[in-house]
Amino acid sequence: MSARADILAALKANRPAGDYPLPSVPDFTPLVGDDLIEEFGDRLKRMGGRIEDGRTGDPLAGVRGRLAESKVIASAVPEIDGNRDLRAVRYPQEVEDVDVAVVRAVFGIAETGSVLFTEGELIVNAVAYLAQHLIVLLDPADILPNVQEAYKRPEFGRSAYAVLHTGPSATADIEGVLIHGAQGVRSLTVLLLPRAAERSVS
């Protein structure tokens, strides 16, 4: 028996009897105004991210430059074509050379500027960390006011993997010099694009 199996067996054998439901998530007054799109964008920018509006004119105008300069594009959405098939990836290491990953967020959180992904959106979980740049499609109707509202969403209970991203990877040394991309994506751009617009616009 492996060490992992030993640990899981020990946990199962020593689990207290009875049903222990999770505590209820309290409601808090949102610390944002009524315009959730503006609030989301403001906080995303504070965390080093960018926001582009794809609801009028050319939906991809704000990201075409990034796409044009990229050699390897892994797209998990029908709106943007890629040249790396994520569904054909067998090992996470296979996405280490991805320049741009394009995914759709389940929802956004106005209070923090965060977006949520599950294994369904990412297809390969590692692509959200190994890609150089991340383009995130977000339906403005899917922006929630705060984290408490987000935790009430069913995705947390029915997904094997769920992660909140808030801007690109960042770190700062003792002198306060901020560096993006030290442990993850160098840039994160949120493209506001309703789900109803799910069609090839490339």
Side-chain angles (χ1 to χ4, degrees):
M1 186 178 281
S2 68
R4 177 178 182 275
D6 288 341
I7 293 170
L8 293 175
L11 289 172
K12 186 176 181 180
N14 291 283
R15 181 182 184 275
D19 186 23
Y20 297 92
L22 294 173
S24 59
V25 177
D27 290 320
F28 293 98
T29 302
L31 302 175
V32 293
D34 293 333
D35 190 337
L36 297 184
I37 297 174
E38 181 181 356
E39 298 281 6
F40 172 85
D42 177 65
R43 283 156 179 79
L44 175 65
K45 291 173 188 174
R46 288 190 208 176
M47 297 305 293
R50 294 175 49 219
I51 188 165
E52 300 288 346
D53 196 338
R55 294 173 294 174
T56 59
D58 177 4
L60 304 184
V63 297
R64 283 197 187 279
R66 174 74 71 201
L67 294 170
E69 65 189 21
S70 302
K71 292 181 180 179
V72 181
I73 300 172
S75 177
V77 301
E79 296 91 339
I80 296 176
D81 294 328
N83 53 21
R84 175 65 55 83
D85 183 3
L86 288 171
R87 298 192 185 280
V89 171
R90 296 181 59 199
Y91 303 104
Q93 298 91 326
E94 295 176 29
V95 296
E96 67 181 1
D97 62 341
V98 171
D99 295 310
V100 174
V102 188
V103 298
R104 180 172 280 282
V106 179
F107 57 75
I109 303 175
E111 196 171 78
T112 60
S114 307
V115 289
L116 179 92
F117 308 124
T118 71
E119 73 277 7
E121 285 71 39
L122 296 174
I123 302 175
V124 178
N125 295 343
V127 78
Y129 308 95
L130 296 182
Q132 292 293 309
H133 305 280
L134 197 57
I135 295 175
V136 182
L137 307 190
L138 175 65
D139 190 330
D142 291 331
I143 299 177
L144 307 174
N146 58 18
V147 175
Q148 288 74 32
E149 288 299 316
Y151 283 150
K152 293 178 183 178
R153 291 282 296 251
E155 287 82 5
F156 287 105
R158 70 186 183 206
S159 302
Y161 179 84
V163 61
L164 287 166
H165 275 228
T166 308
S169 167
T171 189
D173 62 19
I174 197 167
E175 295 180 355
V177 177
L178 185 64
I179 299 172
H180 284 115
Q183 300 95 12
V185 296
R186 292 163 51 201
S187 75
L188 186 150
T189 302
V190 172
L191 177 63
L192 297 176
L193 194 64
R195 292 181 187 274
E198 288 188 354
R199 53 186 170 78
S200 178
V201 291
S202 57

